[in-house]
Amino acid sequence: MDKTFHQFLHLVNMYGLRERKIEFYADKLCVTPNHLGAVIKKASGLTIMQWLNRHAIQKAKLLL
């Protein structure tokens, strides 16, 4: 898998409930939002927002 993808997942685990903007993750990874979106989609078949939504849903389920 792509290094950027793994770094993105790490950031989602750290900030996913507080930060919902693609630009935040792109800035942290020093890439453009479009490039990050393409990398994540190619690596996983999901968009960045789908990853953020899944993360939020999983956290909510744990709290129930």
Short mmCIF file of all heavy atoms in Angstrom, two decimals:
data_model
loop_
_atom_site.label_atom_id
_atom_site.label_comp_id
_atom_site.label_asym_id
_atom_site.label_seq_id
_atom_site.Cartn_x
_atom_site.Cartn_y
_atom_site.Cartn_z
N MET A 1 0.84 -1.20 0.00
CA MET A 1 0.00 0.00 0.00
C MET A 1 0.87 1.25 0.00
O MET A 1 2.02 1.23 0.40
CB MET A 1 -0.91 0.01 1.23
CG MET A 1 -1.97 -1.01 1.20
SD MET A 1 -3.52 -0.24 0.78
CE MET A 1 -4.55 -1.65 0.82
N ASP A 2 0.27 2.31 -0.37
CA ASP A 2 0.96 3.59 -0.49
C ASP A 2 1.27 4.19 0.89
O ASP A 2 0.43 4.15 1.79
CB ASP A 2 0.05 4.53 -1.28
CG ASP A 2 0.75 5.79 -1.69
OD1 ASP A 2 0.81 6.70 -0.86
OD2 ASP A 2 1.24 5.84 -2.83
N LYS A 3 2.46 4.75 1.03
CA LYS A 3 2.88 5.37 2.29
C LYS A 3 1.94 6.51 2.67
O LYS A 3 1.57 6.65 3.85
CB LYS A 3 4.31 5.88 2.16
CG LYS A 3 4.84 6.54 3.39
CD LYS A 3 6.26 7.02 3.19
CE LYS A 3 6.73 7.78 4.40
NZ LYS A 3 8.07 8.33 4.22
N THR A 4 1.53 7.31 1.69
CA THR A 4 0.62 8.43 1.96
C THR A 4 -0.71 7.92 2.50
O THR A 4 -1.28 8.51 3.41
CB THR A 4 0.40 9.26 0.67
OG1 THR A 4 1.66 9.71 0.20
CG2 THR A 4 -0.51 10.44 0.92
N PHE A 5 -1.18 6.80 1.97
CA PHE A 5 -2.43 6.21 2.45
C PHE A 5 -2.32 5.82 3.92
O PHE A 5 -3.20 6.14 4.72
CB PHE A 5 -2.80 5.00 1.58
CG PHE A 5 -4.03 4.27 2.05
CD1 PHE A 5 -5.28 4.88 2.02
CD2 PHE A 5 -3.94 2.99 2.53
CE1 PHE A 5 -6.41 4.21 2.45
CE2 PHE A 5 -5.07 2.30 2.95
CZ PHE A 5 -6.31 2.92 2.91
N HIS A 6 -1.24 5.17 4.29
CA HIS A 6 -1.04 4.76 5.69
C HIS A 6 -0.91 5.98 6.61
O HIS A 6 -1.45 5.98 7.72
CB HIS A 6 0.17 3.86 5.83
CG HIS A 6 -0.07 2.49 5.29
ND1 HIS A 6 -0.93 1.60 5.87
CD2 HIS A 6 0.42 1.86 4.20
CE1 HIS A 6 -0.96 0.48 5.18
NE2 HIS A 6 -0.15 0.62 4.15
N GLN A 7 -0.23 7.00 6.14
CA GLN A 7 -0.11 8.22 6.93
C GLN A 7 -1.47 8.89 7.10
O GLN A 7 -1.80 9.40 8.17
CB GLN A 7 0.88 9.19 6.27
CG GLN A 7 2.31 8.71 6.34
CD GLN A 7 3.26 9.58 5.53
OE1 GLN A 7 2.86 10.17 4.51
NE2 GLN A 7 4.50 9.66 5.97
N PHE A 8 -2.28 8.86 6.03
CA PHE A 8 -3.62 9.41 6.10
C PHE A 8 -4.45 8.66 7.15
O PHE A 8 -5.13 9.29 7.97
CB PHE A 8 -4.30 9.34 4.73
CG PHE A 8 -5.77 9.62 4.77
CD1 PHE A 8 -6.24 10.91 4.94
CD2 PHE A 8 -6.70 8.59 4.65
CE1 PHE A 8 -7.60 11.17 5.00
CE2 PHE A 8 -8.05 8.84 4.70
CZ PHE A 8 -8.51 10.13 4.87
N LEU A 9 -4.40 7.34 7.13
CA LEU A 9 -5.17 6.57 8.11
C LEU A 9 -4.74 6.90 9.54
O LEU A 9 -5.58 6.99 10.44
CB LEU A 9 -5.01 5.07 7.85
CG LEU A 9 -5.66 4.55 6.57
CD1 LEU A 9 -5.45 3.04 6.47
CD2 LEU A 9 -7.14 4.89 6.52
N HIS A 10 -3.46 7.07 9.73
CA HIS A 10 -2.95 7.45 11.05
C HIS A 10 -3.54 8.80 11.48
O HIS A 10 -3.99 8.96 12.63
CB HIS A 10 -1.42 7.48 11.04
CG HIS A 10 -0.83 7.91 12.33
ND1 HIS A 10 -0.83 7.10 13.44
CD2 HIS A 10 -0.22 9.06 12.68
CE1 HIS A 10 -0.24 7.75 14.44
NE2 HIS A 10 0.14 8.94 14.00
N LEU A 11 -3.54 9.75 10.56
CA LEU A 11 -4.10 11.07 10.87
C LEU A 11 -5.60 10.99 11.16
O LEU A 11 -6.11 11.67 12.05
CB LEU A 11 -3.84 12.04 9.72
CG LEU A 11 -2.39 12.47 9.54
CD1 LEU A 11 -2.24 13.29 8.26
CD2 LEU A 11 -1.91 13.27 10.74
N VAL A 12 -6.31 10.16 10.42
CA VAL A 12 -7.75 9.99 10.66
C VAL A 12 -7.98 9.43 12.06
O VAL A 12 -8.87 9.89 12.78
CB VAL A 12 -8.40 9.08 9.59
CG1 VAL A 12 -9.82 8.69 10.00
CG2 VAL A 12 -8.41 9.79 8.25
N ASN A 13 -7.16 8.49 12.47
CA ASN A 13 -7.30 7.94 13.82
C ASN A 13 -7.01 8.99 14.89
O ASN A 13 -7.60 8.96 15.97
CB ASN A 13 -6.39 6.73 14.01
CG ASN A 13 -6.94 5.51 13.33
OD1 ASN A 13 -8.15 5.31 13.30
ND2 ASN A 13 -6.07 4.69 12.78
N MET A 14 -6.10 9.90 14.60
CA MET A 14 -5.75 10.94 15.57
C MET A 14 -6.74 12.10 15.58
O MET A 14 -7.08 12.61 16.64
CB MET A 14 -4.35 11.48 15.27
CG MET A 14 -3.24 10.51 15.58
SD MET A 14 -1.59 11.14 15.15
CE MET A 14 -1.57 12.73 15.93
N TYR A 15 -7.17 12.55 14.40
CA TYR A 15 -7.94 13.79 14.29
C TYR A 15 -9.34 13.62 13.69
O TYR A 15 -10.06 14.60 13.56
CB TYR A 15 -7.19 14.79 13.40
CG TYR A 15 -5.82 15.15 13.88
CD1 TYR A 15 -4.69 14.65 13.23
CD2 TYR A 15 -5.63 16.00 14.96
CE1 TYR A 15 -3.42 14.99 13.65
CE2 TYR A 15 -4.36 16.34 15.40
CZ TYR A 15 -3.26 15.83 14.74
OH TYR A 15 -2.01 16.16 15.16
N GLY A 16 -9.71 12.42 13.33
CA GLY A 16 -10.92 12.19 12.54
C GLY A 16 -12.20 12.74 13.12
O GLY A 16 -13.10 13.11 12.37
N LEU A 17 -12.31 12.80 14.44
CA LEU A 17 -13.55 13.31 15.03
C LEU A 17 -13.56 14.83 15.12
O LEU A 17 -14.61 15.44 15.19
CB LEU A 17 -13.76 12.71 16.42
CG LEU A 17 -13.97 11.20 16.43
CD1 LEU A 17 -14.14 10.70 17.86
CD2 LEU A 17 -15.18 10.81 15.59
N ARG A 18 -12.39 15.44 15.11
CA ARG A 18 -12.30 16.90 15.23
C ARG A 18 -12.15 17.59 13.89
O ARG A 18 -12.65 18.69 13.70
CB ARG A 18 -11.11 17.29 16.11
CG ARG A 18 -11.26 16.90 17.55
CD ARG A 18 -10.07 17.39 18.33
NE ARG A 18 -8.84 16.86 17.74
CZ ARG A 18 -7.88 16.27 18.40
NH1 ARG A 18 -7.96 16.14 19.70
NH2 ARG A 18 -6.80 15.80 17.80
N GLU A 19 -11.42 16.97 12.98
CA GLU A 19 -11.11 17.59 11.69
C GLU A 19 -11.83 16.85 10.57
O GLU A 19 -11.56 15.68 10.34
CB GLU A 19 -9.60 17.58 11.44
CG GLU A 19 -8.83 18.43 12.40
CD GLU A 19 -9.11 19.91 12.26
OE1 GLU A 19 -9.60 20.34 11.20
OE2 GLU A 19 -8.83 20.64 13.22
N ARG A 20 -12.70 17.57 9.89
CA ARG A 20 -13.50 16.94 8.83
C ARG A 20 -13.20 17.53 7.46
O ARG A 20 -13.89 17.22 6.50
CB ARG A 20 -14.99 17.12 9.13
CG ARG A 20 -15.42 16.69 10.51
CD ARG A 20 -15.75 15.25 10.63
NE ARG A 20 -16.76 14.89 9.68
CZ ARG A 20 -16.92 13.64 9.23
NH1 ARG A 20 -16.15 12.69 9.65
NH2 ARG A 20 -17.85 13.37 8.35
N LYS A 21 -12.17 18.37 7.36
CA LYS A 21 -11.85 19.01 6.08
C LYS A 21 -10.68 18.31 5.41
O LYS A 21 -9.65 18.04 6.03
CB LYS A 21 -11.51 20.48 6.30
CG LYS A 21 -12.70 21.29 6.76
CD LYS A 21 -12.38 22.74 6.85
CE LYS A 21 -13.63 23.48 7.31
NZ LYS A 21 -13.38 24.89 7.47
N ILE A 22 -10.86 18.04 4.14
CA ILE A 22 -9.83 17.38 3.35
C ILE A 22 -8.54 18.19 3.34
O ILE A 22 -7.44 17.65 3.41
CB ILE A 22 -10.34 17.12 1.92
CG1 ILE A 22 -11.51 16.14 1.96
CG2 ILE A 22 -9.23 16.62 1.01
CD1 ILE A 22 -12.28 16.01 0.67
N GLU A 23 -8.68 19.51 3.31
CA GLU A 23 -7.51 20.39 3.27
C GLU A 23 -6.62 20.18 4.48
O GLU A 23 -5.39 20.29 4.39
CB GLU A 23 -7.94 21.86 3.18
CG GLU A 23 -8.56 22.23 1.87
CD GLU A 23 -10.04 21.86 1.78
OE1 GLU A 23 -10.64 21.41 2.79
OE2 GLU A 23 -10.61 22.00 0.67
N PHE A 24 -7.20 19.91 5.63
CA PHE A 24 -6.42 19.67 6.85
C PHE A 24 -5.47 18.50 6.65
O PHE A 24 -4.27 18.59 6.96
CB PHE A 24 -7.36 19.40 8.04
CG PHE A 24 -6.64 18.93 9.27
CD1 PHE A 24 -6.05 19.85 10.12
CD2 PHE A 24 -6.55 17.58 9.57
CE1 PHE A 24 -5.38 19.41 11.26
CE2 PHE A 24 -5.88 17.14 10.69
CZ PHE A 24 -5.29 18.07 11.54
N TYR A 25 -5.99 17.40 6.14
CA TYR A 25 -5.18 16.19 5.94
C TYR A 25 -4.15 16.39 4.84
O TYR A 25 -3.01 15.94 4.96
CB TYR A 25 -6.08 14.99 5.67
CG TYR A 25 -6.97 14.71 6.85
CD1 TYR A 25 -8.27 15.20 6.91
CD2 TYR A 25 -6.49 14.01 7.95
CE1 TYR A 25 -9.07 14.99 8.02
CE2 TYR A 25 -7.28 13.79 9.07
CZ TYR A 25 -8.56 14.29 9.10
OH TYR A 25 -9.35 14.10 10.20
N ALA A 26 -4.53 17.08 3.79
CA ALA A 26 -3.60 17.36 2.71
C ALA A 26 -2.45 18.23 3.21
O ALA A 26 -1.28 17.97 2.89
CB ALA A 26 -4.32 18.05 1.56
N ASP A 27 -2.76 19.24 4.01
CA ASP A 27 -1.71 20.10 4.57
C ASP A 27 -0.77 19.31 5.46
O ASP A 27 0.45 19.47 5.39
CB ASP A 27 -2.32 21.25 5.37
CG ASP A 27 -2.93 22.33 4.51
OD1 ASP A 27 -2.65 22.36 3.29
OD2 ASP A 27 -3.71 23.14 5.06
N LYS A 28 -1.31 18.45 6.29
CA LYS A 28 -0.47 17.63 7.19
C LYS A 28 0.47 16.73 6.39
O LYS A 28 1.57 16.42 6.84
CB LYS A 28 -1.34 16.78 8.11
CG LYS A 28 -2.05 17.53 9.19
CD LYS A 28 -1.09 17.82 10.31
CE LYS A 28 -1.83 18.38 11.51
NZ LYS A 28 -0.91 18.86 12.52
N LEU A 29 0.01 16.27 5.23
CA LEU A 29 0.80 15.35 4.42
C LEU A 29 1.59 16.07 3.32
O LEU A 29 2.27 15.41 2.52
CB LEU A 29 -0.12 14.29 3.81
CG LEU A 29 -0.79 13.39 4.84
CD1 LEU A 29 -1.87 12.54 4.18
CD2 LEU A 29 0.23 12.50 5.53
N CYS A 30 1.49 17.39 3.28
CA CYS A 30 2.23 18.21 2.31
C CYS A 30 1.92 17.83 0.86
O CYS A 30 2.81 17.71 0.02
CB CYS A 30 3.74 18.14 2.56
SG CYS A 30 4.22 18.71 4.19
N VAL A 31 0.64 17.62 0.59
CA VAL A 31 0.17 17.35 -0.78
C VAL A 31 -1.07 18.20 -1.02
O VAL A 31 -1.63 18.77 -0.09
CB VAL A 31 -0.15 15.85 -1.00
CG1 VAL A 31 1.08 14.98 -0.82
CG2 VAL A 31 -1.26 15.39 -0.07
N THR A 32 -1.49 18.27 -2.27
CA THR A 32 -2.72 19.00 -2.58
C THR A 32 -3.93 18.13 -2.23
O THR A 32 -3.83 16.89 -2.22
CB THR A 32 -2.79 19.38 -4.07
OG1 THR A 32 -2.92 18.18 -4.85
CG2 THR A 32 -1.57 20.19 -4.50
N PRO A 33 -5.06 18.76 -1.95
CA PRO A 33 -6.27 17.98 -1.68
C PRO A 33 -6.63 17.03 -2.84
O PRO A 33 -7.05 15.89 -2.60
CB PRO A 33 -7.35 19.04 -1.47
CG PRO A 33 -6.59 20.22 -0.97
CD PRO A 33 -5.28 20.19 -1.72
N ASN A 34 -6.47 17.49 -4.07
CA ASN A 34 -6.79 16.63 -5.22
C ASN A 34 -5.88 15.42 -5.28
O ASN A 34 -6.33 14.30 -5.57
CB ASN A 34 -6.70 17.42 -6.52
CG ASN A 34 -7.87 18.35 -6.71
OD1 ASN A 34 -8.91 18.21 -6.09
ND2 ASN A 34 -7.69 19.35 -7.56
N HIS A 35 -4.59 15.63 -5.05
CA HIS A 35 -3.64 14.51 -5.07
C HIS A 35 -3.98 13.52 -3.96
O HIS A 35 -3.99 12.30 -4.19
CB HIS A 35 -2.21 15.02 -4.91
CG HIS A 35 -1.20 13.92 -4.86
ND1 HIS A 35 -0.86 13.18 -5.98
CD2 HIS A 35 -0.48 13.41 -3.83
CE1 HIS A 35 0.03 12.26 -5.62
NE2 HIS A 35 0.28 12.39 -4.33
N LEU A 36 -4.24 14.03 -2.76
CA LEU A 36 -4.58 13.13 -1.65
C LEU A 36 -5.83 12.33 -1.97
O LEU A 36 -5.87 11.12 -1.74
CB LEU A 36 -4.77 13.94 -0.37
CG LEU A 36 -5.08 13.12 0.88
CD1 LEU A 36 -3.98 12.10 1.17
CD2 LEU A 36 -5.32 14.02 2.07
N GLY A 37 -6.83 13.00 -2.52
CA GLY A 37 -8.06 12.30 -2.88
C GLY A 37 -7.82 11.18 -3.88
O GLY A 37 -8.37 10.09 -3.75
N ALA A 38 -6.97 11.45 -4.86
CA ALA A 38 -6.66 10.44 -5.87
C ALA A 38 -5.90 9.26 -5.27
O ALA A 38 -6.19 8.10 -5.58
CB ALA A 38 -5.85 11.06 -7.01
N VAL A 39 -4.95 9.56 -4.39
CA VAL A 39 -4.16 8.49 -3.75
C VAL A 39 -5.06 7.61 -2.88
O VAL A 39 -4.98 6.38 -2.94
CB VAL A 39 -3.02 9.10 -2.90
CG1 VAL A 39 -2.38 8.06 -2.00
CG2 VAL A 39 -1.98 9.74 -3.80
N ILE A 40 -5.92 8.23 -2.09
CA ILE A 40 -6.79 7.47 -1.19
C ILE A 40 -7.79 6.63 -1.99
O ILE A 40 -8.01 5.46 -1.68
CB ILE A 40 -7.53 8.43 -0.22
CG1 ILE A 40 -6.54 9.22 0.62
CG2 ILE A 40 -8.51 7.66 0.66
CD1 ILE A 40 -5.49 8.42 1.34
N LYS A 41 -8.35 7.22 -3.03
CA LYS A 41 -9.32 6.49 -3.87
C LYS A 41 -8.66 5.30 -4.56
O LYS A 41 -9.22 4.20 -4.61
CB LYS A 41 -9.93 7.45 -4.90
CG LYS A 41 -10.98 6.84 -5.77
CD LYS A 41 -12.27 6.66 -5.03
CE LYS A 41 -13.36 6.25 -5.99
NZ LYS A 41 -14.64 6.08 -5.34
N LYS A 42 -7.44 5.51 -5.07
CA LYS A 42 -6.73 4.43 -5.76
C LYS A 42 -6.34 3.31 -4.79
O LYS A 42 -6.46 2.13 -5.10
CB LYS A 42 -5.48 4.98 -6.44
CG LYS A 42 -4.70 3.94 -7.21
CD LYS A 42 -3.50 4.54 -7.89
CE LYS A 42 -2.72 3.44 -8.62
NZ LYS A 42 -1.47 3.95 -9.17
N ALA A 43 -5.91 3.68 -3.60
CA ALA A 43 -5.44 2.69 -2.62
C ALA A 43 -6.58 1.90 -1.99
O ALA A 43 -6.41 0.72 -1.66
CB ALA A 43 -4.62 3.37 -1.53
N SER A 44 -7.73 2.54 -1.81
CA SER A 44 -8.79 1.89 -1.03
C SER A 44 -10.13 1.74 -1.74
O SER A 44 -10.99 0.99 -1.28
CB SER A 44 -9.03 2.67 0.26
OG SER A 44 -9.59 3.94 -0.03
N GLY A 45 -10.33 2.51 -2.81
CA GLY A 45 -11.63 2.49 -3.47
C GLY A 45 -12.65 3.38 -2.79
O GLY A 45 -13.80 3.44 -3.22
N LEU A 46 -12.25 4.06 -1.72
CA LEU A 46 -13.14 4.96 -0.98
C LEU A 46 -12.61 6.38 -1.07
O LEU A 46 -11.41 6.59 -1.22
CB LEU A 46 -13.22 4.55 0.49
CG LEU A 46 -13.77 3.16 0.79
CD1 LEU A 46 -13.64 2.85 2.27
CD2 LEU A 46 -15.21 3.03 0.35
N THR A 47 -13.51 7.34 -0.91
CA THR A 47 -13.10 8.74 -0.89
C THR A 47 -12.64 9.11 0.52
O THR A 47 -12.89 8.39 1.50
CB THR A 47 -14.25 9.67 -1.29
OG1 THR A 47 -15.27 9.60 -0.28
CG2 THR A 47 -14.82 9.31 -2.66
N ILE A 48 -12.01 10.27 0.62
CA ILE A 48 -11.57 10.75 1.93
C ILE A 48 -12.77 10.93 2.85
O ILE A 48 -12.73 10.52 4.02
CB ILE A 48 -10.80 12.08 1.78
CG1 ILE A 48 -9.48 11.83 1.06
CG2 ILE A 48 -10.57 12.73 3.14
CD1 ILE A 48 -8.72 13.07 0.69
N MET A 49 -13.85 11.51 2.35
CA MET A 49 -15.03 11.72 3.20
C MET A 49 -15.66 10.40 3.62
O MET A 49 -16.16 10.29 4.74
CB MET A 49 -16.06 12.60 2.49
CG MET A 49 -15.63 14.06 2.38
SD MET A 49 -15.04 14.81 3.92
CE MET A 49 -16.49 14.72 4.96
N GLN A 50 -15.59 9.39 2.78
CA GLN A 50 -16.10 8.07 3.19
C GLN A 50 -15.26 7.53 4.35
O GLN A 50 -15.81 6.95 5.29
CB GLN A 50 -16.09 7.11 2.01
CG GLN A 50 -17.19 7.40 1.01
CD GLN A 50 -17.07 6.55 -0.24
OE1 GLN A 50 -15.98 6.38 -0.79
NE2 GLN A 50 -18.20 6.02 -0.69
N TRP A 51 -13.95 7.72 4.30
CA TRP A 51 -13.08 7.29 5.41
C TRP A 51 -13.42 8.06 6.68
O TRP A 51 -13.52 7.46 7.76
CB TRP A 51 -11.61 7.47 5.05
CG TRP A 51 -11.06 6.33 4.29
CD1 TRP A 51 -10.76 6.30 2.94
CD2 TRP A 51 -10.74 5.04 4.78
NE1 TRP A 51 -10.30 5.06 2.60
CE2 TRP A 51 -10.27 4.26 3.71
CE3 TRP A 51 -10.82 4.45 6.05
CZ2 TRP A 51 -9.87 2.94 3.85
CZ3 TRP A 51 -10.42 3.12 6.19
CH2 TRP A 51 -9.96 2.39 5.10
N LEU A 52 -13.59 9.38 6.55
CA LEU A 52 -13.90 10.18 7.74
C LEU A 52 -15.26 9.80 8.32
O LEU A 52 -15.41 9.71 9.55
CB LEU A 52 -13.86 11.66 7.38
CG LEU A 52 -12.48 12.21 7.02
CD1 LEU A 52 -12.59 13.64 6.53
CD2 LEU A 52 -11.52 12.10 8.19
N ASN A 53 -16.23 9.56 7.47
CA ASN A 53 -17.56 9.16 7.93
C ASN A 53 -17.52 7.78 8.59
O ASN A 53 -18.12 7.58 9.66
CB ASN A 53 -18.57 9.17 6.79
CG ASN A 53 -18.88 10.57 6.33
OD1 ASN A 53 -18.71 11.55 7.05
ND2 ASN A 53 -19.33 10.69 5.09
N ARG A 54 -16.81 6.85 8.01
CA ARG A 54 -16.68 5.51 8.61
C ARG A 54 -16.02 5.58 9.98
O ARG A 54 -16.44 4.90 10.91
CB ARG A 54 -15.85 4.59 7.71
CG ARG A 54 -16.60 4.05 6.54
CD ARG A 54 -15.72 3.10 5.76
NE ARG A 54 -16.53 2.37 4.81
CZ ARG A 54 -16.18 1.21 4.29
NH1 ARG A 54 -15.03 0.67 4.59
NH2 ARG A 54 -16.97 0.60 3.43
N HIS A 55 -15.00 6.42 10.09
CA HIS A 55 -14.30 6.56 11.36
C HIS A 55 -15.26 7.10 12.42
O HIS A 55 -15.33 6.58 13.54
CB HIS A 55 -13.11 7.49 11.20
CG HIS A 55 -12.38 7.76 12.47
ND1 HIS A 55 -11.57 6.81 13.05
CD2 HIS A 55 -12.34 8.84 13.27
CE1 HIS A 55 -11.07 7.31 14.17
NE2 HIS A 55 -11.52 8.54 14.32
N ALA A 56 -16.02 8.14 12.07
CA ALA A 56 -16.97 8.74 13.02
C ALA A 56 -18.04 7.73 13.43
O ALA A 56 -18.40 7.65 14.61
CB ALA A 56 -17.60 9.98 12.41
N ILE A 57 -18.51 6.96 12.49
CA ILE A 57 -19.55 5.96 12.78
C ILE A 57 -18.99 4.88 13.71
O ILE A 57 -19.66 4.47 14.67
CB ILE A 57 -20.11 5.35 11.48
CG1 ILE A 57 -20.94 6.40 10.73
CG2 ILE A 57 -20.93 4.09 11.76
CD1 ILE A 57 -21.30 6.02 9.31
N GLN A 58 -17.77 4.41 13.44
CA GLN A 58 -17.16 3.41 14.32
C GLN A 58 -16.98 3.91 15.73
O GLN A 58 -17.25 3.19 16.71
CB GLN A 58 -15.81 2.95 13.74
CG GLN A 58 -15.91 2.09 12.51
CD GLN A 58 -16.64 0.77 12.79
OE1 GLN A 58 -16.64 0.26 13.90
NE2 GLN A 58 -17.28 0.24 11.77
N LYS A 59 -16.53 5.14 15.88
CA LYS A 59 -16.37 5.73 17.22
C LYS A 59 -17.71 5.85 17.92
O LYS A 59 -17.83 5.59 19.12
CB LYS A 59 -15.68 7.10 17.13
CG LYS A 59 -14.24 7.02 16.68
CD LYS A 59 -13.38 6.34 17.73
CE LYS A 59 -11.92 6.35 17.32
NZ LYS A 59 -11.05 5.71 18.26
N ALA A 60 -18.75 6.26 17.18
CA ALA A 60 -20.08 6.38 17.77
C ALA A 60 -20.61 5.04 18.22
O ALA A 60 -21.19 4.92 19.30
CB ALA A 60 -21.04 7.02 16.76
N LYS A 61 -20.36 4.00 17.44
CA LYS A 61 -20.81 2.65 17.81
C LYS A 61 -20.13 2.20 19.09
O LYS A 61 -20.75 1.54 19.93
CB LYS A 61 -20.51 1.66 16.68
CG LYS A 61 -21.45 1.77 15.52
CD LYS A 61 -21.09 0.75 14.46
CE LYS A 61 -21.99 0.81 13.27
NZ LYS A 61 -21.63 -0.19 12.22
N LEU A 62 -18.85 2.54 19.24
CA LEU A 62 -18.13 2.16 20.46
C LEU A 62 -18.71 2.84 21.69
O LEU A 62 -18.67 2.28 22.79
CB LEU A 62 -16.65 2.50 20.34
CG LEU A 62 -15.84 1.62 19.38
CD1 LEU A 62 -14.43 2.19 19.23
CD2 LEU A 62 -15.78 0.20 19.89
N LEU A 63 -19.23 4.03 21.50
CA LEU A 63 -19.79 4.77 22.63
C LEU A 63 -21.19 4.31 23.02
O LEU A 63 -21.66 4.61 24.12
CB LEU A 63 -19.81 6.27 22.32
CG LEU A 63 -18.44 6.93 22.17
CD1 LEU A 63 -18.59 8.36 21.69
CD2 LEU A 63 -17.69 6.87 23.48
N LEU A 64 -21.85 3.58 22.13
CA LEU A 64 -23.22 3.12 22.43
C LEU A 64 -23.26 1.91 23.32
O LEU A 64 -22.46 1.14 23.51
CB LEU A 64 -23.95 2.80 21.11
CG LEU A 64 -24.29 4.02 20.28
CD1 LEU A 64 -24.91 3.57 18.95
CD2 LEU A 64 -25.27 4.91 21.01
#
